[in-house]
């Protein structure tokens, strides 16, 4: 699909409103430019939301919640089902916009929209569940049970690298739970947010539903900070860097609100001596080079048993030489650009630190210029021979840098694996069941996600997604993550005609 064609399908123009509060708000005069990471060219502009826009959006979201919470959950699910269908219709167009605006390759852009569709389907099923427990009462003629109530307005802050899927993990689950959602997307990817709003709003209106999905496009100051501090928002779900998470924890924690944090990762794969190396190579390549290393689950550390390390290193260098780098909208491309010049600078600074700290660059380490526009933010996928205890290895550099670290002993490498501050995704490649069981034991991987013979990135929506330690501890998407979007109510009903107190207390 040509750029004009898919922008047209999505209703994206050169200048777009950026605040939705039941209806699109008039632009306030400040604009956020959205530029393609491929060539630096302006794709379009989105009006930055003002604090007045924010105030109207939160009040509209509150009023919508007041009505929506009374809709039976399966009716709410029916609206989400139709949103899934609307996304199916625009899957290719929205996937292409994701590729254009983030620089991820088009197959991954379309995959991201598929993930939205999958979570819509999941949420529809959920809308007929949202189960509570019954509990045995110690008092005669009494009945105890738990029920799950809608929570309120959920604030959703999303990162640039998953500009549409993160919204859906939160918003579609929250919607069947009876909540409304106020979204603040990342400023490098505002057009994706406008496009999603334009896809879902007609469905909301066609069903006579209140405006449960609202949008403020802007920077942390003023709208992001306003959202954190706002007591009208009982839950802030924030996806982004650990720095963002610390700020959210501080501000939301201070007002005793709830936060759901999905933060940075520093994910590792262990390849043991028994591993199927063909499989491992494919898993490592997708994990480390996919999305140009800009996934929270990207593989950053590779622990190689010394018996297979030379062989894997050789194969990896060979494979890295062949990675097709270029236009993310070209279907033959495997790796697109980084999001912006700031990201390129951060990668180059990390490469300097690697050298200072004694790392050896095996391939890559610089800008990529061949066959790409001068204004693009392209870098080379980079392999580094490193030690596990180099300080830079413990940081998340949001770029395609992979550290190769040799090990001898599984106990020791699991310690090295767990010694970083982050705890998102992890994997082991092995054909020895004792090794995989050790990795999955309580003394094994300390991450929220632990895979065997699968790389670190590319999770399915059916599981709870998230990580431990500095990754923030939040869980989103599948399994019972929905509980974060509801409030639990413990109810006791006395049908006995007597008033016995708990613990046998006699009073008066
Ligand atoms: P970022 O932290 O710079 O920004 C994320 C979002 O937070 C943006 O919308 C930004 O505007 C907002 N924000 C920043 N400061 C804020 C403040 N003070 N108040 C309110 N909002 C504020 O992250 P990024 O560069 O967009 O994304 C990359 C990071 O996100 C990486 O660290 C990556 O690992 C992480 N990430 C984590 C997950 C996960 O599920 N664990 C998923 C995707 C990305």
């Amino acid at each position: 699909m040509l750029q004009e064609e898919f922008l047209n399908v999505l209703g994206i123009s050169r200048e777009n409103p950026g605040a939705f509060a039941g209806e699109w708000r008039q632009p306030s005069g400040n604009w956020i430019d959205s530029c393609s990471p491929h060539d630096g060219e302006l794709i379009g502009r989105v009006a930055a939301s003002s604090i007045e826009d924010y105030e109207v959006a939160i009040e509209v979201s509150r009023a919508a919640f007041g009505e929506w919470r009374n809709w039976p959950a399966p009716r709410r699910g029916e609206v989400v089902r139709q949103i899934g269908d609307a996304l199916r219709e625009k899957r290719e167009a929205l996937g292409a916009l994701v590729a254009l605006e983030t620089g991820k390759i088009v197959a991954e852009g379309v995959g991201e929209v598929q993930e939205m569709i999958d979570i819509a389907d999941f949420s529809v099923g959920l809308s007929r569940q949202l189960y509570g427990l019954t509990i045995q009462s110690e008092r005669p003629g009494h009945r105890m049970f738990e029920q799950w109530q809608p929570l309120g307005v959920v604030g959703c802050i999303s990162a640039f690298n998953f500009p549409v899927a993160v919204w859906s993990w939160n918003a579609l689950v929250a919607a069947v739970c009876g909540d409304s959602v106020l979204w603040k997307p990342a400023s490098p990817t505002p057009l994706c947010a406008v496009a999603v709003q334009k896809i879902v709003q007609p469905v909301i209106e066609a069903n006579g539903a209140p405006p449960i999905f609202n949008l403020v496009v802007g920077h942390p100051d003023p709208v992001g900070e306003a959202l954190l501090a706002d007591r009208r928002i009982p839950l802030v779900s924030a996806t982004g860097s650990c720095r963002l998470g610390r700020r959210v924890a501080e501000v939301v924690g201070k007002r005793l609100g709830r936060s759901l944090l999905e933060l940075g990762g520093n994910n590792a794969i262990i390849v043991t001596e028994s591993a199927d190396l063909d499989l491992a190579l494919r898993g490592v390549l997708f994990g480390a080079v996919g999305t140009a290393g800009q996934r929270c689950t990207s593989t950053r550390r590779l622990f190689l048993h010394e018996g297979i390390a030379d062989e894997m290193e050789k194969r990896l260098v060979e494979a890295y030489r062949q990675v097709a780098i270029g236009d993310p909208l070209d279907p033959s491309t495997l790796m697109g650009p980084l999001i912006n010049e700031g990201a390129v600078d951060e990668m180059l600074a990390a490469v300097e630190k690697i050298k200072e700290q004694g790392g050896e660059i095996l391939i890559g380490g610089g800008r990529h210029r061949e066959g790409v526009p001068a204004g693009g933010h392209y870098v080379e996928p980079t392999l580094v021979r490193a030690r596990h205890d180099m300080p830079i290895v413990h940081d998340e550099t949001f770029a395609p840098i992979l550290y190769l670290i040799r090990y001898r002993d599984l106990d020791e490498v699991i310690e090295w694996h767990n010694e970083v501050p982050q705890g998102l995704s992890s994997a082991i490649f092995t054909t020895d069941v004792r090794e995989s069981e050790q990795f999955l034991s309580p003394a094994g991987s300390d991450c929220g996600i632990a895979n065997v013979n699968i790389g670190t990135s590319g999770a399915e929506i059916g599981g709870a997604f998230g990580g431990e330690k500095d990754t923030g501890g939040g869980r989103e998407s599948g399994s019972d993550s929905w509980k974060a979007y509801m409030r639990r109510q413990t109810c006791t009903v006395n049908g006995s005609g007597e008033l016995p107190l708990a613990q046998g207390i006699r009073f008066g």
Side-chain angles (χ1 to χ4, degrees):
M1 220 185 282
L2 292 172
Q3 183 168 326
E4 272 139 50
E5 222 176 294
F6 65 73
L7 292 180
N8 228 352
V9 168
L10 298 167
I12 297 294
S13 19
R14 216 49 190 170
E15 290 194 341
N16 304 273
F20 187 91
E23 56 185 10
W24 290 104
R25 306 255 309 154
Q26 279 302 318
S28 58
N30 291 324
W31 296 92
I32 294 178
D33 288 347
S34 173
C35 297
S36 158
H38 167 59
D39 54 14
E41 294 289 318
L42 184 73
I43 311 167
R45 305 203 297 170
V46 177
S49 304
S50 64
I51 204 72
E52 291 74 31
D53 294 329
Y54 173 82
E55 193 52 38
V56 179
I58 179 73
E59 280 307 321
V60 165
S61 304
R62 281 230 304 172
F65 167 67
E67 186 187 333
W68 183 244
R69 66 182 162 188
N70 296 321
W71 283 43
R75 262 189 80 200
R76 302 194 293 247
E78 169 54 20
V79 177
V80 170
R81 188 190 67 73
Q82 293 173 33
I83 288 175
D85 283 349
L87 287 164
R88 279 182 174 87
E89 274 174 33
K90 304 272 167 76
R91 195 178 87 123
E92 270 61 37
L94 185 58
L97 176 61
V98 169
L100 179 67
E101 204 175 28
T102 64
K104 66 171 71 173
I105 59 172
V106 69
E108 290 188 59
V110 173
E112 189 175 338
V113 183
Q114 184 58 46
E115 207 168 323
M116 302 175 84
I117 295 166
D118 293 343
I119 198 77
D121 288 355
F122 178 86
S123 303
V124 177
L126 202 55
S127 73
R128 289 185 181 268
Q129 300 177 57
L130 306 175
Y131 300 130
L133 296 171
T134 61
I135 298 137
Q136 297 304 317
S137 170
E138 66 189 46
R139 289 169 282 185
H142 284 55
R143 187 165 69 83
M144 265 174 88
F145 57 96
E146 283 180 353
Q147 56 181 2
W148 292 88
Q149 303 279 20
L151 188 63
V153 183
V154 174
C156 175
I157 295 175
S158 59
F160 80 83
N161 64 333
F162 278 92
V164 295
V166 165
W167 172 83
S168 67
W169 298 345
N170 286 281
L172 300 182
V173 172
V176 298
C177 291
D179 301 329
S180 61
V181 179
L182 179 54
W183 183 17
K184 197 213 82 62
S187 29
T189 53
L191 292 174
C192 283
V194 171
V196 168
Q197 188 70 41
K198 289 193 168 187
I199 292 171
V200 299
Q201 186 54 27
V203 180
I204 297 288
E205 281 168 20
N207 283 275
I212 53 166
F213 298 131
N214 294 294
L215 176 69
V216 282
V217 166
H219 298 291
D221 182 27
V223 288
E225 285 283 339
L227 193 152
L228 302 190
D230 198 329
R231 293 183 63 87
R232 292 168 290 186
I233 298 186
L235 170 68
V236 175
S237 174
T239 303
S241 55
C242 297
R243 189 164 42 105
L244 162 74
R246 289 200 176 87
R247 180 71 186 149
V248 176
E250 183 188 347
V251 180
V252 180
K254 198 166 173 195
R255 65 174 170 88
L256 301 181
R258 283 195 210 170
S259 50
L260 196 171
L261 300 176
E262 298 283 354
L263 312 174
N266 190 349
N267 317 293
I269 295 180
I270 298 172
V271 183
T272 72
E273 201 172 15
S274 75
D276 175 336
L277 296 190
D278 293 336
L279 215 63
L281 186 71
R282 297 216 307 270
V284 171
L285 264 185
F286 180 65
V289 173
T291 331
Q294 297 172 109
R295 284 190 184 217
C296 50
T297 52
S298 288
T299 310
R300 310 207 179 278
R301 297 173 298 147
L302 182 63
F303 295 109
L304 298 171
H305 187 275
E306 55 183 23
I308 49 89
D310 286 340
E311 171 72 11
M312 269 299 275
E313 214 176 85
K314 199 171 84 197
R315 287 210 209 177
L316 274 167
V317 171
E318 193 50 38
Y320 267 54
R321 275 209 187 98
Q322 291 167 27
V323 172
I325 304 172
D327 185 350
L329 287 163
D330 177 342
S332 65
T333 299
L334 276 186
M335 193 184 108
L338 295 183
I339 186 71
N340 51 31
E341 256 331 272
V344 175
D345 291 344
E346 274 175 35
M347 166 156 168
L348 298 179
V351 169
E352 285 314 307
K353 281 193 194 157
I354 289 168
K355 290 179 188 160
E356 280 164 25
Q357 293 173 17
E360 184 189 341
I361 311 280
L362 295 177
I363 185 167
R367 273 181 181 279
H368 175 87
R369 299 187 194 277
E370 210 179 298
V372 295
H377 314 300
Y378 285 91
V379 294
E380 296 169 330
T382 300
L383 287 175
V384 179
R385 216 180 263 156
R387 289 187 324 276
H388 73 95
D389 56 357
M390 285 163 51
I392 187 80
V393 170
H394 292 211
D395 287 344
E396 181 196 49
T397 303
F398 222 50
I401 300 177
L402 181 65
Y403 299 108
L404 310 184
I405 300 157
R406 291 178 185 228
Y407 80 93
R408 190 172 295 172
D409 173 67
L410 190 57
D411 289 336
E412 182 179 56
V413 79
I414 288 177
E415 261 180 49
W416 295 355
H417 175 277
N418 292 345
E419 73 189 354
V420 296
Q422 312 83 350
L424 181 51
S425 187
S426 61
I428 190 167
F429 278 82
T430 174
T431 55
D432 181 339
V433 73
R434 282 169 303 185
E435 288 178 336
S436 63
E437 287 299 310
Q438 184 174 345
F439 184 70
L440 297 179
S441 76
S445 160
D446 64 356
C447 291
I449 296 167
N451 296 332
V452 177
N453 293 330
I454 296 174
T456 56
S457 73
E460 294 183 26
I461 62 102
F465 180 88
E468 302 300 330
K469 305 191 291 185
D470 285 8
T471 304
R475 291 297 186 276
E476 270 175 10
S477 192
S479 185
D480 64 352
S481 306
W482 58 270
K483 290 178 177 170
Y485 303 88
M486 302 198 84
R487 63 186 165 84
R488 184 198 307 243
Q489 192 165 54
T490 304
C491 307
T492 311
V493 180
N494 176 5
S496 74
E498 303 290 325
L499 197 64
L501 298 177
Q503 292 88 44
I505 293 171
R506 294 187 180 282
F507 189 76

